[in-house]
Amino acid sequence: MKKALSLILALVLCVSVCLTFTSCSDGADDGKYKIGICQLVEHVALDAATEGFKQAIIDELGEDAVEFDFQNGQNDANTCSTIINQFVSNNVDLIMANATPALQAAAAATGDIPILGTSVTEYGVALELKDFNGTVGGNISGTSDLAPLDKQAAMITEWFPEAKNVGLVYCSKEANSQYQVDVVKAELEDKGLTATLYPFTDSNDLAQICTTAADNSDVIYVPTDNTVAENTGIIDNICAPKKIPVIAGEEGICAGCGVATLSISYYDLGYTTGKMAVKILKDGADISTMPIEYAEKQTPKYNKQICDALGITPIEGYVAIG
């Protein structure tokens, strides 16, 4: 009887161990890092940042070591919040927030899960931080897509020295767009130009606002704005017939409607963000001490097709967008 009881206990223990092992090695609990990616909207720049982010992690950890959950926020802050809350419920190991509204949603949803932002221009503005010194602290860090705004303003007078009125077209719902145009406006006014803000609320009123701006401006400037990036065709269809040139904050927008830009590589920016993720997940780096990282270089580029259409000779030193 004792031998039979001992055998039964041994079998129960064996089954228990086997079930535990199976549970730990099955599905999302198989030792893979779980990373939730919330991308505000799909357009060239943000897509490139996500691609670079994922590739950096795969290069460092291997494709079998990580599980990505990519979600598109459809250019809606509320949708981003829903996505992020699901990531938190799923207890992901890290959240990558691609663009400012995604970062804001992540910051509001969790103070525990590491959050890395990318394609965010100014973290102090995005997160309403006082005396921001380059390190967010807490569970947030990331990379910034800020190209020097003083140099972008200088491009306008470099390309169009006769211009007197500059219209700055941007989505007023994007905090970092507001930040950019405020800085560029001040820079232009210091140069003696008249700089006028033309904010729109969403794609529905972009055409009307852009038309007004084109009718009253010699040049239009658009920042790294996600709604603009998604609707460059609207701007080009208005500005091209009126022969109004556009200086853009990044290459994707410039390719759609601009004459020239001082551009960064969003793929490289995302790749840098991915390397930061590896430091956190694999090396145990403390995200609270990780400063925001910036693009290492900016490249002056021009849109050959639009320059030809407007009869503009590209300035030496600018590279044609491929």
Side-chain angles (χ1 to χ4, degrees), residues 201-221:
T201 55
D202 55 39
S203 58
N204 293 322
D205 64 340
L206 172 56
Q208 178 184 347
I209 297 300
C210 187
T211 299
T212 301
D215 288 340
N216 294 279
S217 306
D218 302 313
V219 183
I220 284 177
Y221 169 80

Side-chain angles (χ1 to χ4, degrees), residues 71-284:
Q71 299 292 331
N72 177 5
Q74 305 295 335
N75 205 15
D76 181 74
N78 291 328
T79 302
C80 287
S81 294
T82 300
I83 291 168
I84 297 292
N85 285 331
Q86 189 61 54
F87 289 162
V88 174
S89 296
N90 292 341
N91 196 30
V92 298
D93 297 300
L94 183 141
I95 294 170
M96 193 277 262
N98 194 347
T100 300
L103 176 68
Q104 292 168 330
T110 178
D112 301 316
I113 298 173
I115 299 167
L116 288 175
T118 194
S119 312
V120 176
T121 304
E122 220 288 334
Y123 282 74
V125 172
L127 300 174
E128 298 182 350
L129 303 175
K130 294 182 179 179
D131 302 321
F132 175 61
N133 63 0
T135 301
V136 175
N139 64 323
I140 300 174
S141 189
T143 56
S144 168
D145 62 359
L146 180 64
L149 295 172
D150 58 339
K151 292 183 179 179
Q152 292 187 43
M155 285 175 56
I156 295 172
T157 54
E158 180 185 22
W159 279 76
F160 308 105
E162 303 301 320
K164 293 181 173 58
N165 296 293
V166 180
L168 297 90
V169 177
Y170 68 102
C171 180
S172 58
K173 289 183 178 179
E174 297 190 32
N176 277 307
S177 295
Q178 184 72 60
Y179 168 78
Q180 291 174 80
V181 295
D182 286 344
V183 173
V184 171
K185 182 176 188 294
E187 291 283 342
L188 293 172
E189 289 174 345
D190 284 346
K191 298 177 185 298
L193 280 73
T194 298
T196 305
L197 301 180
Y198 291 96
F200 62 90
T201 55
D202 55 39
S203 58
N204 293 322
D205 64 340
L206 172 56
Q208 178 184 347
I209 297 300
C210 187
T211 299
T212 301
D215 288 340
N216 294 279
S217 306
D218 302 313
V219 183
I220 284 177
Y221 169 80
V222 290
T224 55
D225 183 293
N226 291 293
T227 308
V228 168
E230 196 181 17
N231 295 279
T232 56
I234 293 176
I235 295 176
D236 188 50
N237 288 338
I238 291 168
C239 293
K242 296 177 182 292
K243 303 294 184 181
I244 301 299
V246 177
I247 295 293
E250 57 93 7
E251 182 175 337
I253 295 175
C254 189
C257 65
V259 168
T261 184
L262 184 62
S263 188
I264 65 168
S265 167
Y266 276 81
Y267 180 90
D268 290 348
L269 194 70
Y271 200 94
T272 297
T273 315
K275 290 170 69 174
M276 295 174 74
V278 172
K279 291 177 183 177
I280 295 165
L281 297 172
K282 179 184 177 183
D283 303 331

